[in-house]
Amino acid sequence: MDHFEELDYNKAFDAGLWVKIIRFAFRHWKHLALLAGSIVVISMIEAVMPLLARYAIDVFLGDGDLAAADLTNLPAYSVIYVLIIAAFSFFVFLFIYQAGRMQTKMVYDIRTAGFTRLQELSFSYYDTTHVGWIMARMTSDTERIGDFISWSLIDGLGAIAYIAMATVFMANLDAHLTLWVMSVMPVLVVVVYLFQRIVLKGNRLARKMNSKITGSYNEGINGARTTKTLIRENKNFEEFMELTGAMRKQSRKVQVVNTFNFPVVLCLGSIATAFVITVGGVQLQTGGMSLGTLAAFIAYTTMLFEPIYQLVNVFSELQSAQASGERMMSLLSSEPDIVDAKELIDIYGDAMNPKPENWPAITGRVEFKNVTFAYKTGDVVLSDFSLSVKPGERIALVGETGAGKSTIVNLVCRFYEPTEGQVLIDGVDVRERTQIWLQSNLGYVLQTPHLFSGTITENIRYGKLDATMDEVVAAAKAANAYGFIMKLDKGFETDVGEGGGRLSSGEKQLVSFARAIIGNPSIFVLDEATSSIDTETEQIVQNAVNEVLKGRTSFIVAHRLSTIRGCDRILVIADGKIKEQGSHRELLRLKGSYYELYTNQFKEEAEKTALIGG
Amino acid sequence: MLGVYLKDVIEGVDDLLTLKRLMKLMKGNRAYFITAVCATAFASLGRLVRPVIITVTIDSVLDSRPLMDNSVVRWVVNLAVGGEQGLKNHPRILVICGLAVVLATVINSVFMVIRGNYSSKASENMAKKMKDSLYDHLQKLPYDYHVKAKTGDLIQRCTSDVETIRRFLSMQVPEMARAVFLAVFTISIMLTVNVTLTLVSAVFIPVIFVFSYVFFKKCRAAFKLTDEKEGEMSAVLQENLTGVRVVRAFGRQKYEMSKFDKKTTEFRDLNFNHIRLMSWYWSSSDLLSHGAQLAVLITGVYLTYNGVITIGTFILFNSYISMLLWPIRQMGRILSDLGKMQVSIGRIFEILDAPQEKDNEGVTRHPLRGEIVFDKVSFHYEGGKPVLNNLSFTVKPGQSIAILGSTGSGKSTVMHMLLRLYDYQGGAVKINGREITRIEKKWLRERIGLVLQEPFLYSKTISNNLRMAKDTVEDNEITEAAKTAHAHGFIEGFEKGYETMIGERGVTLSGGQKQRVAIARTLIKNSDILIFDDSLSAVDTETDAQIRAALKTRAKDVTTFIISQRITTLMHADRILVIENGALTDSGTHEELVSRPGLYLRIWEIQSLLDEEFGMEISGGAVPEMA
């Protein structure tokens, strides 16, 4: 359940990372500029508002002396006021609109970049990276980055603009009183920062517990059927309640601290107001200040502290955004192990831009020349492996798990590249062509067939995107799939469901055969299923295999005797080497490993014969 | 027109249902919520005191206007500075005013802390309760539910949907209360000071409220669309990642890219639509609120100019109007969250409303060692085609029974009937003379051991997995069972032996190893009846035979059922049942079945033909042509 767990990220500000992220933001510099511009204007108008009220008091109400009041400017004042609030609303609209544009575009860009990179990365990456991990990077982490840049960061900018403007206005009105107000600031910043740190740390713990709960749900749901047969319902529930109990305790701890956060800000703010009343009041009595100015100051002191609170919030969000950024950027900066040379791409094209018109046809001669292959961890799988396969030859690979059978197949497909030595196809090193050239000429059937959601037609067409319906039907017939497809309610237009879930595993195999042969590949790779489908379906699949492989160079990781026996050559692989090779009969007569592998089955056969008396 | 009206009525019913469900969830924590709401009331009141202090300070301390005509204010002033004249004469009057502001804020803050604490207590309790009851409920849902369940979707509901509700309860419910209290208190205070100005202020409230409600409805629809599209996008991504081998083998990166791009583009645009809606809302509600402020300002200037109200009152109204409008405007955001919460509550109750498995408890613990009779049993899944059709057979106690049938023939279903994972619709199943519908399910499952084809092992140690079957398990019972299931050898091979963790944090077991651990786990139960539902499929034939031999000695009095595709697994059973299309088509011993035409003979021939040829080749004979 590892992928449900949160990683700890508690690092210092990483400037290099933010440069990379900001680069994504600057692609939309027009939005960014409008966004930043509008938030500054908004903050300025907000800072001007108390001055407008002050003007009303000082002029229209004569600063408390109604005899001095003068209403002549009131109509003009109203018009200006209306214009200001209209402008304000417009900029609020502009701000949110642009932030939305910015956020959605930026998230789209990062996500597209991520997906593109995922299409380029080699199998070695997928071997070691969990799908859940990648999903989290591509969904929530990406959203969080976009969110932070477009809203939080810009909010912070607005807060700074507001604080700056308000300070300037206040200082203009009365510098002395401004100093009094500002004296509260440092305390406030420190207090809020401390609160945030405690809360952040506590939240991280709570999230970890939450991941455990998610893992527990996963287990509870996936294991529900087994739980029933073991009547474990109540015991599982007790264990689960312990987890939720711990989670509640932790969340409460954080929230108790958090409830003090804003009230403390308010109280500190009220101290500033008290200063304004006491100090400003004395100034007013001695005639050093107008009533309107005092009212404006009081308004500023109540409105100044929210932006500060907001600003500190941005800093705490920066930490989690940085963690998300780090995770996403690590995906983007993962380098594929297998890269096509640039000059080759110019000729043959790559996956995103194939140039099939320049592709030489494949006859299907495959050679391994002194190939050594080791994983990055250093585990050597193949060493000094050589093999020559004629066009159209059918090769069976047998041997124990981990002997290197899959590696050989993966090297033929250029899913991996040899550490030393060469793999040649039609006499040319695979590295002298691009991956797409080879992979477009492959037929490939997996041990556990993977279908995509969509109709059967769409799935078969995956092997040849421009196939006509006639070709689809012909492929289905060749793969023995036509029969079952026609029995389905919607025939070829039946939706197979997510991962092909609505078909049985035998049916999935047949569809994947059809998909593999529709493109008429010259090289065919088949990883035979180990788990049993029922015997009759299996017979149908077997017949399909024989049909499908006709005339193609094929490599079969084989488990079934009938498949193996139909092959031209059998390679018994052990410890990354060919231990025995030859035809079925030759190998049996050798009485070596191959013989060993199958005597168990023979013994049972003898037993069976004895049971029914010959 | 009528259609629109009807839609509103239906949505109204929906709202009521949500409220009812919410109240149900709140049970046991209502007192905390009420305390939080009361504290909110006091906090709002405290918030309103401050502007009054400032008004008094400006009007009667700094200026020389008569004190506000309010008995509470007068009482407080008398208490603090000994009457109205004190406002002018008291030597430290400004300090007292300043302290009063701080004090009012502190009181306000204390209530805010109380509110925060109680609302967090209530919502955390509820979150725990929701999570617990979801988990408990899921476990107790019928077997069939879990056959069809989509794990990802269920987890989503149990985690993010619960979180959405928790957030709403802990933050927005007190926030809503605050908006209401602030509005009520503000208007009451305003009314005591000046009616005209109050009316000017209050006229904007319904406008802004209706405006935000309309917005909320639109927003809910937009949110739903965005959410669905995000799900589609994730699905494409997930399929691309799990199918990466296929994508590469066919060189379909470009095709995948365009498939993904279509979804992300749609998601981006829908998401933006949602935000654009917000930009319209916030900007126009800003315009409205500031317009209201201007209206109060201008009316206030006229009233003050004409001596109707004092400057202090003017300032008081100016600060109250923003206090009044801000929370009402906030209602828009709250209401849009309400939409999300409503969706979440609906999704959670889709789980909670699914009926749990019922059991007839009490007197129905019946000894299970005895004859098992299937008498014309019929069964079909809900809304599905018949799976079992008048199936009849009898099994004597202690017999070993093998069942052969193709996929979908109903052979697993037959075994599920025995544990009452499904209940049949016609006929009767009797164990030891009693129909199983009159036996407690829990008892049946306790006494009958079933090993599923794809057994689930929990991410605990191997030993803890084995101990699950019974309350108290001795160490030697574990090794005994593991030995019988041929699991002892490979378990001992692990560095930590029986204490090895299973799953992603520990070792990953192969399919055959998992099956053997699961068999051992079931054996520990010492069941009256044992069922192996194709649970040796991933074990090689040799080990399969050894396990069966060990079983025979260990559980010789136990009635055993083995379902398999492998003839060699079935052939040694006392009796073999052949099931086709939900009916028994043949039964007998291996010798009997191979002596007459039928499914058994057909399959036996296919499987043995291969081996026969193999034998011929070894002995150097001629190779017969394959069919």
Side-chain angles (χ1 to χ4, degrees):
Chain A
M1 306 300 118
D2 277 350
H3 59 284
F4 291 114
E5 289 206 355
E6 287 264 336
L7 286 169
D8 262 332
Y9 279 94
N10 201 4
K11 291 185 186 160
F13 184 78
D14 181 350
L17 177 76
W18 285 103
V19 169
K20 284 185 206 159
I21 295 174
I22 295 295
R23 224 175 260 155
F24 274 102
F26 273 139
R27 281 199 207 169
H28 306 288
W29 62 272
K30 277 184 191 161
H31 295 305
L32 201 62
L34 282 170
L35 191 57
S38 48
I39 191 73
V40 170
V41 175
I42 289 168
S43 311
M44 277 164 62
I45 297 178
E46 273 178 344
V48 166
M49 285 300 190
L51 293 180
L52 280 174
R54 170 178 166 265
Y55 183 87
I57 295 173
D58 281 358
V59 176
F60 303 137
L61 303 180
D63 190 15
D65 179 10
L66 285 181
D70 177 10
L71 291 189
T72 41
N73 281 339
L74 191 58
Y77 174 86
S78 305
V79 171
I80 291 171
Y81 199 112
V82 168
L83 286 178
I84 288 177
I85 60 175
F88 182 76
S89 303
F90 171 74
F91 281 106
V92 166
F93 173 79
L94 192 68
F95 166 63
I96 300 176
Y97 190 94
Q98 294 298 338
R101 263 270 171 269
M102 176 79 206
Q103 182 202 9
T104 51
K105 280 188 176 178
M106 189 174 156
V107 166
Y108 170 84
D109 285 351
I110 297 179
R111 206 169 262 154
T112 305
F115 194 82
T116 312
R117 180 42 54 106
L118 284 170
Q119 303 314 299
E120 291 159 2
L121 284 170
S122 310
F123 275 22
S124 52
Y125 181 81
Y126 288 94
D127 287 343
T128 51
T129 317
H130 213 284
V131 169
W133 190 94
I134 303 174
M135 288 293 290
R137 269 81 206 135
M138 291 288 286
T139 53
S140 49
D141 280 329
T142 309
E143 287 291 342
R144 194 173 300 163
I145 299 167
D147 220 51
F148 178 75
I149 298 282
S150 320
W151 301 98
S152 306
L153 200 59
I154 298 295
D155 257 6
L157 181 67
I160 291 174
Y162 181 84
I163 295 168
M165 291 297 293
T167 313
V168 168
F169 285 150
M170 280 198 293
N172 252 325
L173 292 173
D174 191 302
H176 180 234
L177 202 51
T178 309
L179 277 179
W180 276 99
V181 171
M182 287 296 151
S183 66
V184 183
M185 271 307 180
V187 185
L188 192 76
V189 169
V190 169
V191 166
V192 175
Y193 176 74
L194 288 179
F195 265 115
Q196 294 290 358
R197 261 191 36 180
I198 298 172
V199 169
L200 216 69
K201 221 169 133 188
N203 271 340
R204 202 173 293 137
L205 260 177
R207 269 205 303 277
K208 264 192 175 174
M209 289 181 177
N210 201 29
S211 311
K212 275 194 190 153
I213 292 180
T214 309
S216 217
Y217 270 121
N218 188 46
E219 191 165 280
I221 295 166
N222 279 326
R225 280 178 280 171
T226 299
T227 301
K228 266 188 198 310
T229 63
L230 294 173
I231 11 170
R232 281 279 305 183
E233 289 95 333
N234 289 328
K235 289 226 178 62
N236 284 355
F237 184 43
E238 277 164 29
E239 285 172 20
F240 182 78
M241 283 207 289
E242 271 172 40
L243 280 181
T244 52
M247 165 93 191
R248 176 176 59 183
K249 209 171 148 196
Q250 179 60 30
S251 305
R252 287 279 294 129
K253 246 193 224 164
V254 179
Q255 284 165 7
V256 166
V257 174
N258 214 8
T259 49
F260 281 93
N261 201 347
F262 195 66
V264 167
V265 172
L266 268 187
C267 287
L268 285 171
S270 77
I271 291 175
T273 313
F275 283 155
V276 169
I277 291 176
T278 333
V279 180
V282 173
Q283 277 175 282
L284 185 116
Q285 280 167 340
T286 55
M289 182 182 280
S290 74
L291 209 51
T293 306
L294 193 69
F297 258 95
I298 291 174
Y300 279 127
T301 54
T302 51
M303 286 165 71
L304 200 57
F305 295 98
E306 202 148 321
I308 292 177
Y309 183 71
Q310 223 169 31
L311 205 58
V312 180
N313 248 332
V314 173
F315 276 103
S316 71
E317 267 172 53
L318 182 121
Q319 277 203 323
S320 79
Q322 178 166 312
S324 289
E326 213 164 305
R327 287 181 285 223
M328 189 60 201
M329 292 304 144
S330 88
L331 192 160
L332 287 181
S333 59
S334 303
E335 289 295 333
D337 289 341
I338 300 172
V339 197
D340 296 319
K342 213 190 151 294
E343 54 274 20
L344 293 175
I345 295 177
D346 288 342
I347 307 170
Y348 305 111
D350 59 9
M352 290 302 158
N353 187 21
K355 295 176 178 165
E357 61 279 8
N358 296 339
W359 291 348
I362 294 183
T363 54
R365 176 182 303 282
V366 179
E367 273 169 285
F368 279 67
K369 270 194 186 160
N370 309 99
V371 170
T372 296
F373 178 80
Y375 285 111
K376 277 186 192 157
T377 51
D379 296 330
V380 180
V381 187
L382 294 182
S383 51
D384 202 21
F385 181 90
S386 292
L387 172 71
S388 176
V389 179
K390 292 194 289 282
E393 204 180 2
R394 196 179 294 184
I395 303 288
L397 301 164
V398 300
E400 284 177 17
T401 317
K405 291 171 295 184
S406 307
T407 307
I408 295 170
V409 163
N410 283 331
L411 285 166
V412 172
C413 302
R414 207 182 163 199
F415 291 151
Y416 294 113
E417 282 181 348
T419 324
E420 278 168 49
Q422 282 181 303
V423 175
L424 307 170
I425 290 189
D426 287 357
V428 182
D429 191 320
V430 287
R431 282 171 289 201
E432 281 167 33
R433 301 267 191 270
T434 57
Q435 296 165 69
I436 189 72
W437 162 77
L438 175 60
Q439 282 150 12
S440 297
N441 278 295
L442 278 181
Y444 187 80
V445 173
L446 278 168
Q447 196 174 44
T448 43
H450 181 276
L451 301 185
F452 295 92
S453 28
T455 64
I456 290 182
T457 308
E458 280 166 355
N459 268 290
I460 296 178
R461 225 173 237 160
Y462 203 84
K464 188 184 179 194
L465 293 178
D466 56 356
T468 62
M469 200 56 213
D470 288 342
E471 286 176 285
V472 171
V473 173
K477 280 183 178 160
N480 264 350
Y482 189 73
F484 96 83
I485 294 173
M486 291 321 280
K487 276 191 205 148
L488 297 171
D489 281 347
K490 288 186 186 164
F492 277 89
E493 297 315 310
T494 307
D495 190 348
V496 301
E498 210 179 299
R502 284 185 211 153
L503 301 183
S504 76
S505 63
E507 290 166 344
K508 277 196 270 185
Q509 278 186 14
L510 295 179
V511 173
S512 74
F513 278 128
R515 173 175 71 187
I517 55 169
I518 194 167
N520 196 21
S522 14
I523 300 175
F524 204 97
V525 169
L526 167 64
D527 197 348
E528 206 170 44
T530 40
S531 62
S532 61
I533 33 180
D534 62 78
T535 317
E536 281 189 296
T537 318
E538 200 176 297
Q539 196 61 40
I540 298 174
V541 172
Q542 282 303 319
N543 293 340
V545 170
N546 285 326
E547 195 56 41
V548 158
L549 298 184
K550 244 175 219 162
R552 308 179 209 275
T553 309
S554 30
F555 292 84
I556 306 165
V557 177
H559 303 288
R560 302 201 195 297
L561 193 54
S562 60
T563 318
I564 296 168
R565 225 196 17 211
C567 289
D568 300 316
R569 187 152 39 124
I570 299 155
L571 309 180
V572 181
I573 310 292
D575 299 324
K577 290 204 166 70
I578 301 173
K579 206 166 178 194
E580 287 168 20
Q581 62 174 314
S583 73
H584 178 62
R585 197 179 288 187
E586 283 163 6
L587 286 183
L588 282 181
R589 298 223 168 106
L590 213 65
K591 295 220 169 177
S593 314
Y594 185 74
Y595 177 85
E596 282 277 309
L597 272 169
Y598 288 99
T599 32
N600 287 336
Q601 217 160 330
F602 177 68
K603 263 187 216 155
E604 273 200 24
E605 170 65 22
E607 194 183 320
K608 204 188 290 175
T609 320
L611 252 174
I612 50 168
Chain B
M1 260 331 269
L2 189 68
V4 175
Y5 176 71
L6 268 177
K7 211 179 118 210
D8 272 9
V9 170
I10 290 165
E11 276 179 25
V13 171
D14 201 36
D15 291 345
L16 260 181
L17 185 66
T18 307
L19 194 69
K20 222 173 109 187
R21 285 168 164 175
L22 205 56
M23 289 310 279
K24 198 173 147 193
L25 289 176
M26 280 186 181
K27 223 175 190 175
N29 291 297
R30 288 181 197 155
Y32 295 138
F33 271 111
I34 292 168
T35 313
V37 169
C38 290
T40 307
F42 284 112
S44 317
L45 212 53
R47 181 102 197 267
L48 294 172
V49 170
R50 233 172 78 132
V52 176
I53 297 171
I54 289 167
T55 307
V56 171
T57 309
I58 291 178
D59 262 5
S60 313
V61 177
L62 299 175
D63 211 344
S64 45
R65 311 208 169 257
L67 185 60
M68 205 183 267
D69 191 22
N70 183 301
S71 52
V72 180
V73 174
R74 282 184 185 278
W75 181 74
V76 173
V77 168
N78 277 336
L79 200 72
V81 291
E84 206 178 330
Q85 67 283 1
L87 291 175
K88 279 279 143 204
N89 311 336
H90 200 283
R92 297 198 174 279
I93 182 67
L94 285 175
V95 176
I96 291 173
C97 289
L99 283 179
V101 169
V102 175
L103 188 68
T105 314
V106 168
I107 293 171
N108 176 16
S109 299
V110 167
F111 281 111
M112 279 171 79
V113 170
I114 294 174
R115 173 188 80 169
N117 258 313
Y118 276 96
S119 72
S120 115
K121 195 170 190 170
S123 55
E124 282 303 321
N125 281 348
M126 277 180 62
K128 177 170 159 47
K129 201 173 130 193
M130 272 188 276
K131 286 180 199 162
D132 287 348
S133 42
L134 279 167
Y135 188 89
D136 192 33
H137 193 82
L138 277 169
Q139 299 247 317
K140 289 177 179 158
L141 283 171
Y143 188 81
D144 195 43
Y145 187 93
H146 287 286
V147 171
K148 294 172 190 153
K150 284 186 183 149
T151 315
D153 178 59
L154 286 179
I155 291 180
Q156 182 91 15
R157 289 171 193 231
C158 296
T159 54
S160 3
D161 283 322
V162 169
E163 178 62 15
T164 307
I165 299 171
R166 187 197 67 78
R167 261 169 188 277
F168 187 84
L169 291 173
S170 74
M171 309 206 305
Q172 308 294 42
V173 168
E175 202 60 31
M176 257 201 243
R178 197 167 86 104
V180 172
F181 284 126
L182 267 179
V184 171
F185 292 153
T186 316
I187 292 175
S188 338
I189 296 178
M190 282 168 130
L191 276 174
T192 65
V193 181
N194 186 284
V195 180
T196 320
L197 208 47
T198 309
L199 285 180
V200 173
S201 315
V203 89
F204 286 92
I205 293 176
V207 178
I208 292 178
F209 186 78
V210 168
F211 182 65
S212 65
Y213 185 72
V214 170
F215 162 77
F216 136 72
K217 278 196 150 176
K218 271 199 162 182
C219 201
R220 179 155 64 168
F223 175 74
K224 209 177 158 196
L225 278 179
T226 314
D227 208 38
E228 279 166 9
K229 196 51 79 180
E230 191 176 9
E232 286 174 28
M233 182 187 76
S234 300
V236 170
L237 177 63
Q238 171 114 33
E239 273 203 333
N240 175 272
L241 294 175
T242 49
V244 64
R245 288 178 174 270
V246 179
V247 175
R248 297 304 166 81
F250 290 99
R252 287 288 170 260
Q253 291 95 319
K254 192 179 170 187
Y255 176 75
E256 288 292 310
M257 197 68 223
S258 66
K259 202 157 79 176
F260 183 71
D261 189 61
K262 190 169 165 269
K263 294 291 174 201
T264 38
T265 307
E266 282 169 359
F267 171 64
R268 179 193 68 194
D269 295 344
L270 281 173
N271 200 9
F272 177 65
N273 256 346
H274 185 221
I275 297 173
R276 194 175 53 190
L277 214 60
M278 298 217 301
S279 66
W280 279 111
Y281 172 73
W282 287 111
S283 56
S284 26
S285 74
D286 266 340
L287 192 64
L288 267 172
S289 320
H290 282 118
Q293 241 160 338
L294 178 63
V296 170
L297 186 94
I298 290 176
T299 322
V301 164
Y302 273 111
L303 290 176
T304 318
Y305 189 76
N306 295 323
V308 182
I309 59 170
T310 62
I311 291 201
T313 311
F314 173 81
I315 296 175
L316 179 77
F317 264 84
N318 272 314
S319 41
Y320 271 10
I321 181 73
S322 60
M323 259 188 217
L324 190 62
L325 293 177
W326 185 78
I328 300 238
R329 222 166 62 122
Q330 204 57 16
M331 288 296 268
R333 181 179 266 181
I334 298 173
L335 289 178
S336 92
D337 278 356
L338 181 73
K340 287 186 201 172
M341 189 211 55
Q342 227 167 343
V343 172
S344 292
I345 285 210
R347 281 161 58 86
I348 281 179
F349 271 87
E350 254 171 49
I351 299 176
L352 291 178
D353 285 347
Q356 287 192 359
E357 201 174 17
K358 284 200 187 69
D359 202 353
N360 35 351
E361 292 194 30
V363 288
T364 46
R365 305 199 147 202
H366 183 74
L368 298 186
R369 295 214 174 205
E371 214 175 42
I372 298 168
V373 181
F374 272 70
D375 185 17
K376 292 185 184 146
V377 173
S378 300
F379 171 76
H380 59 81
Y381 295 107
E382 241 182 76
K385 291 175 195 162
V387 179
L388 300 183
N389 244 330
N390 280 327
L391 181 76
S392 301
F393 62 85
T394 305
V395 174
K396 293 202 183 73
Q399 263 191 334
S400 68
I401 302 293
I403 301 180
L404 177 81
S406 61
T407 317
S409 62
K411 57 186 189 304
S412 296
T413 315
V414 176
M415 293 297 104
H416 293 163
M417 299 281 126
L418 280 179
L419 278 86
R420 292 188 62 201
L421 294 171
Y422 290 102
D423 277 333
Y424 45 86
Q425 286 103 1
V429 178
K430 286 180 190 156
I431 301 181
N432 197 12
R434 182 186 289 229
E435 185 165 1
I436 56 169
T437 46
R438 289 175 51 228
I439 305 176
E440 201 183 334
K441 279 180 183 169
K442 218 168 124 192
W443 177 249
L444 283 170
R445 291 173 197 173
E446 215 173 289
R447 300 307 313 157
I448 304 176
L450 167 66
V451 188
L452 295 168
Q453 186 179 8
E454 284 166 13
F456 185 84
L457 300 183
Y458 299 84
S459 48
K460 298 172 183 267
T461 62
I462 293 179
S463 140
N464 279 339
N465 264 288
L466 293 174
R467 279 173 202 280
M468 283 195 148
K470 248 184 5 184
D471 286 342
T472 46
V473 185
E474 302 293 325
D475 284 349
N476 66 321
E477 281 184 88
I478 289 184
T479 42
E480 279 305 310
K483 276 176 187 161
T484 313
H486 266 249
H488 183 71
F490 76 80
I491 295 173
E492 287 283 277
F494 294 131
E495 205 180 312
K496 290 186 189 159
Y498 282 86
E499 297 312 313
T500 308
M501 281 293 290
I502 296 181
E504 287 182 33
R505 253 174 285 168
V507 296
T508 311
L509 300 184
S510 73
Q513 287 173 330
K514 270 190 204 163
Q515 287 185 339
R516 282 183 271 171
V517 172
I519 290 171
R521 178 170 67 187
T522 306
L523 289 178
I524 290 176
K525 274 168 77 177
N526 285 327
S527 319
D528 295 329
I529 299 168
L530 271 174
I531 303 167
F532 299 94
D533 186 357
D534 213 358
S535 39
L536 292 163
S537 60
V539 177
D540 65 72
T541 42
E542 200 181 350
T543 318
D544 177 351
Q546 284 166 347
I547 294 174
R548 273 181 291 116
L551 271 174
K552 222 166 212 173
T553 39
R554 182 189 165 107
K556 51 180 177 298
D557 308 328
V558 176
T559 314
T560 312
F561 291 89
I562 297 181
I563 296 178
S564 178
Q565 306 276 356
R566 230 183 241 161
I567 292 271
T568 49
T569 311
L570 306 174
M571 57 192 284
H572 305 288
D574 295 336
R575 207 161 133 235
I576 300 158
L577 309 177
V578 181
I579 294 182
E580 286 173 270
N581 296 323
L584 189 74
T585 51
D586 207 349
S587 78
T589 61
H590 173 75
E591 291 80 357
E592 286 164 11
L593 290 175
V594 294
S595 66
R596 53 182 177 243
L599 180 70
Y600 191 88
L601 181 67
R602 261 201 336 271
I603 290 180
W604 184 71
E605 277 176 343
I606 294 171
Q607 287 191 355
S608 60
L609 187 62
L610 301 172
D611 297 341
E612 220 169 274
E613 289 168 48
F614 180 65
M616 300 269 254
E617 284 181 72
I618 279 199
S619 53
V623 181
E625 269 306 305
M626 259 290 281

